[in-house]
Amino acid sequence: MSESQSEEFKAIRSPNLVDQVADHLTEAIIVGRFTPGERLSEVGLARSLGVSRAPIREAARLLESRGLLVSQPRRGFFVRALDAGELEDIFDLRLCLERHAMEHLAHACSAETLLALHRQVEVLCRAAASGSENRRIEEDLAFHRMMIAAVGNRRLLKGFDDLAHELRLCITLITKTHEDPDTIADCHHLLLDALASGEPARCREAIDYHIGVARDYVVSGVGESRQKSLAY
Amino acid sequence: MSESQSEEFKAIRSPNLVDQVADHLTEAIIVGRFTPGERLSEVGLARSLGVSRAPIREAARLLESRGLLVSQPRRGFFVRALDAGELEDIFDLRLCLERHAMEHLAHACSAETLLALHRQVEVLCRAAASGSENRRIEEDLAFHRMMIAAVGNRRLLKGFDDLAHELRLCITLITKTHEDPDTIADCHHLLLDALASGEPARCREAIDYHIGVARDYVVSGVGESRQKSLAY
DNA sequence: CGATTGCCGACTGTCGACAGTTTGTCCGGG
DNA sequence: CCCGGACAAACTGTCGACAGTCGGCAATCG
């Protein structure tokens, strides 16, 4: 109760231009309004958003730390362009973090956590059925975030959140068709069953498979879209 | 090689006030010139460093992303104060990253890498013998960084670098005596022998033990210094 | 005497402007 | 036709200043 109150207050006290600009830029990048590698003009952004350059610069620094932008001294900020190698790296790190989480949860997963995860899978399936690619991605990430959050390690969660931004960046690269809700459900129930069993080896196998599928999904998607666009 | 060159260039062509301020602040925090939780005045820092507030703010954002500072809206920046829980979290994440690296290297560790790591252990021992606590810490971190770099995953390395800043922050909390160079050497040779053996299970055991020791070293040190200062 | 309210100083958030650098272009020469 | 250098436009890095806000202190009221 007092928490909801404080959150409400926090919502009020957010006239932070930096955060607003950061959110705006983040969405613009995620939905692909900028092309990868594109240079961002500080003055241009400042003019188009109706603010000064200072908030732009600070927001850009923030996004740089999240891996959405890269900066070159005296040249400005560019939207991060991922090559195949970086893509592999990102999914390898994701595997690293989620393996750790799974291993921890294998022998310390409360019934409530499992229930919450089951519910999230349902939400995810509904999102997939709705046809909105964006919502499906977000709910999928939310599931994995929930799993990692259950470990109780804030630093680990922060590491995942940072990585999640780059995962979203991966998604922008691909032009993908609809994914079957049933397949998604099965794919995630495999994880939950492994967790429920409490067997570390099975958990590891499950998460390895799950993330392997996700990686293949993205790299194949990137291949297709690259073939399609014929660029570079 | 090309890496050291690019770093050298970066060092040369760095009239970047932001980076300089960031380095200055980082060192000031690491050596404990600021007390944990202390509020940093932007104007004060700007005056004392002879620069404007804009570079200060951007550098502070950078350090915030590295976990050295925390910001409260409308209140400014504070040096991060770690509690026991966060300390556990940090070492748990370190374990997560280094386990992953060890596992990868267990069946893909070149002879050159092993040689380079052996040399780094020697450097580390010399640093320990020199009596400079700071140099010992840095060379120790350099060893682990080198190990993770050998995996070839840049994103993983970045994750470690971010974490390394927080590890340094942990170190500032403890007031510790000299550590025996021989012990340090043994401790690290255990890792190298495990790597050389190529047995994943042994590698995992070695890194678990190694980081467990490091964590105990820090938490016990924190306990002592806290007892000593009687604060809070 | 304790709690509340209004005020004051200090600080952060934001802005517009200036200086130095980079980039693209145009011109002349080979 | 291609190449190199100089010029100009645009941009980034940095600065000083103004406005809104926060925390603390004192005066006031119950």
Side-chain angles (χ1 to χ4, degrees), chain A residues 136-152:
Chain A
R136 184 177 67 76
I137 303 289
E138 285 309 314
E139 297 302 343
D140 200 331
L141 285 176
F143 170 86
H144 289 273
R145 184 178 197 277
M146 189 180 290
M147 207 179 69
I148 290 182
V151 175

Side-chain angles (χ1 to χ4, degrees), chain A residues 41-232:
Chain A
S41 163
E42 294 178 8
V43 284
L45 287 175
R47 237 191 300 259
S48 78
L49 295 181
V51 299
S52 162
R53 279 176 51 216
I56 300 283
R57 286 176 63 89
E58 294 191 22
R61 291 256 174 211
L62 194 65
L63 267 62
E64 182 188 11
S65 77
R66 291 179 183 169
L68 293 181
L69 296 180
V70 292
S71 75
Q72 292 183 26
R74 305 271 176 192
R75 300 224 345 153
F77 293 90
F78 302 76
V79 319
R80 175 120 173 254
L82 296 168
D83 59 26
E86 289 175 292
L87 212 134
E88 283 290 333
D89 288 354
I90 287 173
F91 274 91
D92 184 55
L93 179 57
R94 180 181 173 187
L95 187 65
C96 169
L97 300 181
E98 298 216 31
R99 265 185 188 165
H100 195 72
M102 284 291 278
E103 181 171 345
H104 183 276
L105 293 179
H107 49 79
C109 191
S110 72
E112 302 157 9
T113 301
L114 267 178
L115 179 62
L117 287 172
H118 263 105
R119 282 178 153 177
Q120 180 58 29
V121 173
E122 289 173 19
V123 173
L124 166 57
C125 290
R126 278 199 294 277
S130 80
S132 164
E133 181 86 356
N134 247 343
R135 269 193 60 204
R136 184 177 67 76
I137 303 289
E138 285 309 314
E139 297 302 343
D140 200 331
L141 285 176
F143 170 86
H144 289 273
R145 184 178 197 277
M146 189 180 290
M147 207 179 69
I148 290 182
V151 175
N153 183 336
R154 291 194 175 211
R155 190 58 185 76
L156 180 70
L157 186 60
K158 179 175 180 292
F160 178 79
D161 283 338
D162 286 350
L163 195 63
H165 285 111
E166 295 175 64
L167 285 172
R168 292 189 184 91
L169 196 56
C170 293
I171 312 282
T172 68
L173 296 176
I174 72 183
T175 57
K176 201 66 179 185
T177 73
H178 190 61
E179 187 94 343
D180 181 29
D182 290 339
T183 312
I184 294 175
D186 291 345
C187 215
H188 286 80
H189 281 141
L190 223 64
L191 287 178
L192 294 182
D193 292 344
L195 274 182
S197 79
E199 301 168 27
R202 186 173 163 191
C203 284
R204 182 182 165 111
E205 198 178 341
I207 193 66
D208 281 16
Y209 174 75
H210 189 97
I211 294 183
V213 168
R215 188 198 54 200
D216 293 342
Y217 176 80
V218 170
V219 298
S220 71
V222 170
E224 285 176 22
S225 67
R226 183 162 299 170
Q227 209 170 12
K228 186 182 299 181
S229 65
L230 300 174
Y232 311 112

